[in-house]
């Protein structure tokens, strides 16, 4: 018997068993050569079913669309027989003959709603004793025992699995229960969610085939038991390794099927939806993040108009925003640095952000496509091929617009780079600042997959230069190049007309007239400069009339 710690890798598979299971199977890594499906002898479906049937508990009868997980060591011929009996694909909305190199998902296999639109789902546990696929559920009694009576802990671990998917794509989750208990209202298995006491996704646990082999299965959204999950009560689920990662990765993988995602190859331990589940990483990776955002949009949806723009808040020179949309850390383990929580998920889709500045400012914006080149193709559990190279950073050619405070006027556009290369707007004046400005992310290429990205925004105070000497007014004043006798931070050069709060002819800010005013007046006169104190008659010119008036002020009546 395998220990719980030895079941760190599992093979998962889907299939129709007995009634009509649609097969998408996970298999273990096996040192034997994989069979060539095109040359293998035909399999007698009934004989294969007879061979498999005795392993299951009496009355075990899952319905169409169930996706099974198998433990490491499950016989390959068992899995191959089920695959030949029930070919995977069409029953769960996948294209005939497979799909493009990418995550395996058809836009029609998601929960009801348009491609890329966010979706709110509820989830619940069924009460013990409820008949689920021919057996009475034993979820609470078994998980309570596996977790030493700490029900709050195992519930929180399962909740974290839904929470992780919610951190990565446009799906939100709410757990519901019946009044005063930890389980739902106990409606018959297959009942749809009611939004208050019964989840759209229901989780049960029943005896399946003894220890090992089948560990769990999940239904696709468009099946009769849409999204529901069934764990095997014969297994041990309490392993504490990496904060119960064995339990969590199985549930996150299975719920991926519950969102409409099928298996993807090759099995190289880089994706949660690979046929071989691995606990060497925690939860969804780049390919899985791309598929949830293709299906349900990113976590900021809807943001297709300025009115729906995601608010980045106030930005100052001291508080730039760097790589906004980076993937948050999982419950345990490193961050998925090559992925992002923002994306353009379809041709023609746009995203909007907004930010505000409190003073006249210039802005720099960098839009960076995220992703690397990896292998991703459709496959079955007994044959998991490679050879479908994807450059996930260059799925779409992203562009960025800076939009003014009215939400419509485009102040600047960056659209010169090729797909996969960052676009940057550098030191663009925010015309009309202070105020709220908008950023629009869009694309200029036809595509059918999601393009992940991050965005960085920084601002600098704009160059305020009222006297047009290419020196900031604040520097003019601090250096003594310009006077600011009324201390309003505006050079007196620019105080026209009038000289508010300033004594005419007082060119040394002494609040009186004295001999020091004369050389300063002369400097203004010969330098063809203007400062309001020197223009004593306030006609806009510093001339000899002003010289006579200054003399009168100095000599007195």
């Amino acid at each position: 018997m395998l220990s719980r710690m030895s079941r760190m890798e599992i093979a998962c598979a889907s299939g129709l068993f007995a009634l009509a299971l649609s097969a998408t199977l996970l298999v273990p890594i096996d040192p034997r050569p994989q069979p060539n499906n095109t040359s293998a002898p035909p399999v007698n479906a009934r004989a294969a079913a007879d061979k498999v049937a005795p392993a299951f508990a009496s009355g075990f009868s899952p319905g169409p669309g169930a996706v099974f997980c198998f433990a490491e060591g499950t016989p390959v011929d068992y899995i191959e027989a089920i695959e030949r009996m029930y070919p995977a694909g069409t029953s769960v909305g996948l294209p005939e003959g497979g799909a493009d190199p990418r995550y395996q998902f058809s836009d029609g296999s998601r929960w009801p709603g348009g491609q890329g639109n966010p979706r709110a789902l509820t989830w619940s546990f069924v009460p013990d004793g409820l008949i689920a696929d021919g057996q009475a559920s034993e979820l609470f009694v078994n998980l309570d025992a596996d977790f030493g009576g700490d029900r709050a802990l195992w519930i929180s671990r399962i909740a974290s699995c839904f929470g992780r998917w919610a951190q990565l794509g446009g799906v939100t989750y709410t757990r519901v229960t019946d009044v005063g208990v930890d389980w739902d209202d106990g409606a018959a298995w297959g009942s749809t969610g009611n939004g208050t006491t019964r989840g759209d996704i229901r989780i049960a646990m029943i005896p399946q085939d003894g220890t090992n082999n089948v560990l769990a299965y999940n239904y696709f959204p468009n099946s009769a038991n849409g999204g529901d999950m069934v764990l095997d009560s014969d297994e041990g689920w309490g392993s504490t390794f990496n904060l119960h990662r064995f339990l969590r990765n199985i549930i996150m993988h299975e719920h991926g099927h519950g969102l409409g995602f099928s298996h993807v190859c090759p099995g190289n331990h880089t994706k949660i939806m690979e046929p071989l589940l691995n606990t060497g990483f925690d939860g969804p990776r780049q390919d899985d993040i791309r598929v949830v955002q293709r299906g349900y949009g990113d976590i900021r949806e809807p943001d297709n108009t300025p009115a729906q723009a995601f608010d980045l808040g106030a930005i100052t020179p001291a508080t730039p925003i760097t790589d906004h949309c980076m993937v948050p850390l999982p419950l345990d383990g490193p961050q998925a640095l090559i992925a992002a929580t923002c994306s353009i998920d379809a041709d023609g889709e746009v995203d909007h952000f907004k930010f505000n500045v409190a003073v006249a400012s210039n802005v720099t914006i960098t839009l960076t496509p995220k992703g690397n080149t990896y292998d991703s193709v459709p496959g079955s559990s007994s044959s998991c091929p490679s050879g479908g190279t994807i450059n996930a950073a260059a799925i779409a050619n992203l562009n960025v617009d800076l939009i003014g405070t009215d939400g419509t006027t485009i102040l600047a556009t960056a659209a010169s780079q090729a797909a996969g290369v960052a676009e940057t707007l550098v030191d663009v004046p925010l015309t009309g600042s202070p105020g709220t400005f908008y950023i629009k992310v869009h694309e200029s290429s036809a595509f059918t997959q999601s393009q992940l990205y991050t965005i960085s925004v920084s601002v600098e105070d704009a160059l305020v230069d009222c006297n047009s000497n290419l020196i900031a007014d604040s520097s003019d004043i601090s250096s003594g190049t310009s006077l600011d006798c009324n201390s309003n931070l505006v050079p007196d050069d620019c105080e026209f007309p009038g000289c508010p709060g300033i004594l005419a002819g007082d060119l040394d800010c002494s609040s009186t007239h004295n001999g020091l005013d004369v050389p300063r007046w002369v400097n203004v006169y010969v330098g063809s400069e203007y400062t309001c104190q020197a223009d004593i008659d306030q006609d806009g010119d510093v001339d000899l009339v002003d010289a006579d008036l200054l003399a009168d002020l100095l000599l007195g009546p």
Side-chain angles (χ1 to χ4, degrees), residues 261-454:
F261 316 147
S262 289
H263 294 145
V264 64
C265 290
N268 56 4
H269 311 308
T270 61
K271 306 171 283 291
I272 197 72
M273 297 310 297
E274 290 177 12
L276 184 65
L277 190 66
N278 184 280
T279 56
F281 54 83
D282 195 302
R285 302 283 96 182
Q286 175 186 200
D287 194 66
D288 314 302
I289 295 170
R290 293 183 64 231
V291 65
V292 72
Q293 292 186 27
R294 171 65 183 184
Y296 301 92
D298 64 37
I299 63 175
R300 290 156 186 80
E301 296 289 353
D303 57 358
N304 298 323
T305 67
Q308 298 171 317
F310 180 83
D311 192 356
L312 297 172
I315 303 179
T316 71
T319 59
I321 292 177
T322 303
D323 286 334
H324 180 73
C325 302
M326 286 297 291
V327 174
L329 287 169
L331 188 63
D332 179 71
Q335 188 179 44
L337 294 176
I338 55 176
T341 61
C342 289
S343 69
I344 297 296
D345 60 68
D347 189 20
E349 201 248 332
V350 297
D351 290 345
H352 287 84
F353 301 86
K354 65 180 179 180
F355 64 95
N356 64 79
V357 292
V359 298
S361 304
N362 296 345
V363 66
T364 295
I365 301 170
T366 301
L367 176 67
T368 305
K370 299 294 289 186
N372 65 356
T373 299
Y374 66 97
D375 199 348
S376 180
V377 294
S380 67
S381 298
S382 61
S383 176
C384 200
S386 61
T389 301
I390 296 173
N391 180 359
I395 297 297
N397 191 353
L398 298 182
N399 305 320
V400 60
D401 295 339
L402 172 65
I403 299 176
T405 56
D406 61 1
T408 58
T409 302
I410 297 176
L411 303 180
T413 296
S416 62
Q417 301 299 321
V421 182
E423 295 281 5
T424 304
L425 293 169
V426 180
D427 207 25
V428 179
L430 289 172
T431 304
S433 57
T436 297
F437 293 82
Y438 299 86
I439 298 169
K440 177 182 176 181
V441 178
H442 54 106
E443 46 75 29
S444 58
S445 57
F447 64 103
T448 58
Q449 300 184 35
S450 52
Q451 175 63 68
L452 308 182
Y453 68 85
T454 61

